Amino acid sequence: MTTGTISPREAQALIAQGATLIDIRDADEYLREHIPDAQLAPLSTLEHGAFPAALRAERVIFHCQSGRRTSGNAAALQAVAAPAEVWLLEGGIEGWKAAGLPVAEDKSQPLPLMRQVQIAAGGLVLLGVALGYTVSSGFFLISGFVGAGLMLAGFTGFCGMARLLEKMPWNRRTH
């Protein structure tokens, strides 16, 4: 049982030799963009004991968006894939793209939900500040409300804005 990091080019060579590439990002991230040989196994499903048959390979390479999720969960990923040889892709899919390796993209898929939350929250904060300075100081409450909501989401894991955005028509696509 070994766990280590591997460069995108080294990972590509191992995949060609039969290693299994597992994408631990959420399904919405995967549908928008993924490495062609990657199999989806979101971290949340792995944490709940759903083990894809792909994890029974001799060598498993895990990846996420930037490498932070995989490195932060290395011990858990090792445990899930045991007794396989486990590798973590350096830089995640971003590192893969930076190395000039191919990705499958579907721009018709909506942006990942967390990016939508970031855009909406940032837009509301900017709107509250702009209106607070130009129209009425009462509009600063918009920024305060968004900030309080983000703090609540961080403390509890419940994000009302994400729940609202999930219900928007552009996010109701069939996968």
Side-chain angles (χ1 to χ4, degrees):
M1 274 186 1
T2 61
T3 303
T5 58
I6 189 168
S7 75
R9 293 278 178 198
E10 292 168 327
Q12 185 183 41
L14 279 183
I15 293 164
Q17 296 170 11
T20 301
L21 180 62
I22 304 290
D23 188 334
I24 66 163
R25 299 175 305 148
D26 292 329
D28 59 341
E29 295 173 282
Y30 179 87
L31 289 170
R32 178 102 173 156
E33 174 181 66
H34 63 273
I35 297 171
D37 294 319
Q39 298 179 38
L40 178 63
L43 185 59
S44 59
T45 63
L46 295 176
E47 290 170 345
H48 295 345
F51 308 123
L55 292 180
R56 303 298 170 231
E58 286 183 36
R59 287 182 283 183
V60 177
I61 303 167
F62 288 103
H63 88 84
C64 60
Q65 188 70 30
S66 66
R68 286 193 276 289
R69 270 181 273 187
T70 53
S71 62
N73 293 283
L77 295 173
Q78 175 65 59
V80 166
E85 180 180 302
V86 173
W87 297 97
L88 307 178
L89 182 63
E90 289 176 0
I93 193 171
E94 294 299 329
W96 184 271
K97 290 189 305 186
L101 299 173
V103 294
E105 290 183 273
D106 184 356
K107 299 281 187 184
S108 71
Q109 292 293 327
L111 288 173
L113 194 56
M114 287 315 302
R115 284 191 54 199
Q116 292 181 44
V117 168
Q118 292 166 340
I119 291 167
L124 286 170
V125 167
L126 277 174
L127 179 67
V129 169
L131 291 174
Y133 277 116
T134 59
V135 178
S136 168
S137 62
F139 283 107
F140 285 120
L141 291 173
I142 295 172
S143 301
F145 181 72
V146 171
L150 291 173
M151 286 182 63
L152 178 69
F155 288 131
T156 66
F158 172 79
C159 181
M161 186 179 292
R163 297 285 169 106
L164 179 64
L165 286 168
E166 275 180 328
K167 296 182 184 327
M168 291 294 126
W170 59 84
N171 286 324
R172 290 186 178 196
R173 306 184 71 149
T174 56
H175 304 295

